[in-house]
Amino acid sequence: MEPTPTPAPELVAFLEELPEPHIVLDAHYRIRAANAAYRRKFGAAAGVLGRPCYEVSHHFSEPCDLAGESCPLAQARTSGGRARVLHLHHTPGGEEYVQIELAPVSGSAAQPQLFVEKMATLPMAQAQPAEQGLVGRAPAFQQMLALLARVAGAPAAVLLLGETGTGKELVARALHQASPRAQRAWVPVDCSSLPETLFESELFGHERGAFTGATHARPGLVDAATGGTLFLDEVGDIPLAMQVKLLRLLESGTYRRVGSTELRQADIRVVSATHRDLPRMVAEGRFREDLFYRLSSFPIRLPPLRERREDIPLLAQALLERVAAPRKLRLSEDALALLQAQPFPGNVRELRNLLERAALLCDGAALEAAHVQQALACGLVPPAHSSAPTSAPVPSALVPAAPAPALPPALPPATRPAPRSAQDWAQLIAEHTGPRAELAARLGISERTLYRRLRALRGAGRPAA
């Protein structure tokens, strides 16, 4: 019979003095010791000693790796080395994200192997509705969060890649707040709003007389971010001529103010973000390849809302608390079901805006499906060709949405009925009664090309449908 493993008194005494929560596990996942920091954070050790860690932390009846989670102990047993994972743990304050580092302790035939597990809560994200910060628990969200947790304490340049509305600035701020620079400056820069003529001056500052109107010396945003984080939002919009100056800053950590020969040292951590396809821009010559690699030392992709649809109830409640404050609105089940049925191409930003409109339309204590439907209707744009009816119809968003009819498949290139003359185009357009997108699809051309053809027909005096 295998002897019951007991941690050495010296190990227990050492862990007891550490400020971070630590426990000692045996190879069967049972907790054999817990230090004072663990007892303060997660509860009295007397109630956990001898119990499996997965039962205490996750309320599971089987090990994490058998329940769809990544298990650090299983990884360490396989590799023989350290393991690091991000988990959702049950705590007295509810579920919290916890960064786990596990290391094996040498064992022998007489003393089975033990493992020391260090736990650190991750305040940058919540698994329940919160007034601030990142909120989510979907697998795609947790994958992103695990990458953020790994790079937060490092000086590496981080590039956040994601569609519009996925919360890139919110993620960048969370990254700053979890870094050693959290108590220093956080300086966001909207690169898309800076004209090329002012970009260098705004970023690096200028000296008195450097250009017309420079009546006094002025520090730039790099100066303002000293010791902290400089966040370059929409970095794909930086003018090509200015990219080389930013590259110099990243490569050497130095810069010059406009109109100065003095070389200044920059003490900043750079985080950038874009919704653009930078590799494609590099291939097209619109973005410097060397700058791309400097910015993307550690790229992190932010998942769109459609990839974390199970987070919509959590996000909706959290966002509603933010946009409706100080009111305490709750979401009805029907309203929540309607929200989950929406495509949200604008991602979390679109969800937030929709909830804000719905809250303004709600006079009661509960947000119902009718309020969400009315808020959806507010965003509808009537077709330009429709005539005004004699009586106001019910907005289409108030009626349960029906799936859009599928467009007929485009014909193969060899059999497309491509018109050859203006008369052919005029006849085809006159006979077509459906949407122009459908016509473009049938012809195998883009809508932009179709509209150019229509403008050409109008210029020639032909009917344009």
Side-chain angles (χ1 to χ4, degrees), residues 257-276:
R257 290 182 178 177
V258 177
S260 172
T261 58
E262 179 188 356
L263 200 62
R264 295 174 176 266
Q265 195 73 30
D267 176 21
I268 57 173
R269 198 258 184 97
V270 175
V271 177
S272 54
T274 184
H275 72 281
R276 298 189 182 279

Side-chain angles (χ1 to χ4, degrees), residues 300-320:
I300 299 177
R301 177 181 176 271
L302 276 62
L305 193 53
R306 63 182 174 273
E307 292 181 10
R308 45 182 299 213
R309 192 166 292 277
E310 57 265 57
D311 276 344
I312 289 180
L314 190 64
L315 284 167
Q317 188 58 53
L319 293 171
L320 189 60

Side-chain angles (χ1 to χ4, degrees), residues 18-374:
L18 296 179
E20 303 90 358
H22 283 74
I23 59 175
V24 180
L25 303 170
D26 64 21
H28 299 286
Y29 307 92
R30 291 170 298 193
I31 300 174
R32 293 302 176 186
N35 70 351
Y38 180 91
R39 296 194 296 271
R40 287 192 299 269
K41 176 66 180 177
F42 298 105
V48 301
L49 294 182
R51 294 174 60 191
C53 59
Y54 53 81
E55 179 184 293
V56 173
S57 299
H58 299 285
H59 297 179
F60 289 164
S61 59
E62 57 186 357
C64 302
D65 52 323
L66 300 180
E69 295 274 359
S70 54
C71 176
L73 194 148
Q75 292 178 17
R77 290 174 66 182
T78 301
S79 67
R82 294 175 176 267
R84 183 176 176 181
V85 300
L86 180 72
H87 273 182
L88 260 178
H89 275 194
H90 286 275
T91 73
E95 284 188 293
E96 294 184 12
Y97 280 108
V98 177
Q99 185 76 38
I100 297 172
E101 294 183 44
L102 183 140
V105 179
S106 297
S108 65
Q111 177 64 51
Q113 190 172 33
L114 296 173
F115 302 83
V116 174
E117 186 173 279
K118 171 187 172 183
M119 284 162 278
T121 55
L122 202 64
M124 70 166 66
Q126 306 294 327
Q128 49 198 348
E131 292 184 2
Q132 295 181 343
L134 306 175
V135 175
R137 56 188 305 145
F141 177 83
Q142 292 193 35
Q143 290 172 12
M144 176 199 72
L145 193 59
L147 294 175
L148 289 175
R150 281 187 174 270
V151 77
V158 177
L159 175 61
L160 303 176
L161 303 166
E163 298 176 7
T164 297
T166 49
K168 293 186 287 294
E169 183 169 354
L170 189 63
V171 170
R173 183 182 288 272
L175 191 61
H176 167 72
Q177 292 172 343
S179 75
R181 298 173 176 265
Q183 303 306 315
R184 306 300 294 272
W186 156 259
V187 180
V189 183
D190 184 2
C191 298
S192 62
S193 68
L194 290 178
E196 184 172 348
T197 53
L198 295 179
F199 188 91
E200 185 177 7
S201 173
E202 287 293 318
L203 198 61
F204 302 123
H206 62 259
E207 298 295 342
R208 182 171 178 265
F211 49 83
T212 303
T215 56
H216 60 278
R218 180 174 177 268
L221 296 172
V222 172
D223 294 276
T226 297
T229 301
L230 182 71
F231 174 52
L232 302 175
D233 195 13
E234 295 304 342
V235 72
D237 292 337
I238 296 178
L240 195 59
M242 293 297 105
Q243 291 177 19
V244 65
K245 299 182 183 295
L246 178 59
L247 177 64
R248 186 182 301 118
L249 172 68
L250 294 174
E251 285 187 330
S252 66
T254 60
Y255 67 100
R256 289 187 177 91
R257 290 182 178 177
V258 177
S260 172
T261 58
E262 179 188 356
L263 200 62
R264 295 174 176 266
Q265 195 73 30
D267 176 21
I268 57 173
R269 198 258 184 97
V270 175
V271 177
S272 54
T274 184
H275 72 281
R276 298 189 182 279
D277 186 348
L278 290 189
R280 181 176 179 179
M281 293 179 66
V282 169
E284 294 173 350
R286 294 185 292 125
F287 200 87
R288 293 183 63 101
E289 184 177 22
D290 44 9
L291 178 58
F292 169 70
Y293 288 118
R294 281 290 179 180
L295 291 171
S296 60
S297 296
F298 200 93
I300 299 177
R301 177 181 176 271
L302 276 62
L305 193 53
R306 63 182 174 273
E307 292 181 10
R308 45 182 299 213
R309 192 166 292 277
E310 57 265 57
D311 276 344
I312 289 180
L314 190 64
L315 284 167
Q317 188 58 53
L319 293 171
L320 189 60
E321 291 176 4
R322 300 176 193 183
V323 301
R327 298 168 64 193
K328 299 295 183 182
L329 281 178
R330 62 178 180 83
L331 277 163
S332 72
E333 292 185 5
D334 289 344
L336 196 55
L338 184 56
L339 287 174
Q340 289 183 290
Q342 303 308 310
F344 290 119
N347 295 298
V348 180
R349 181 184 293 126
E350 183 182 356
L351 173 61
R352 183 191 186 280
N353 292 345
L354 177 62
L355 288 168
E356 187 170 15
R357 290 200 303 271
L360 291 171
L361 295 166
C362 175
D363 294 323
L367 203 63
E368 303 290 348
H371 301 123
V372 176
Q373 290 172 331
Q374 192 175 0

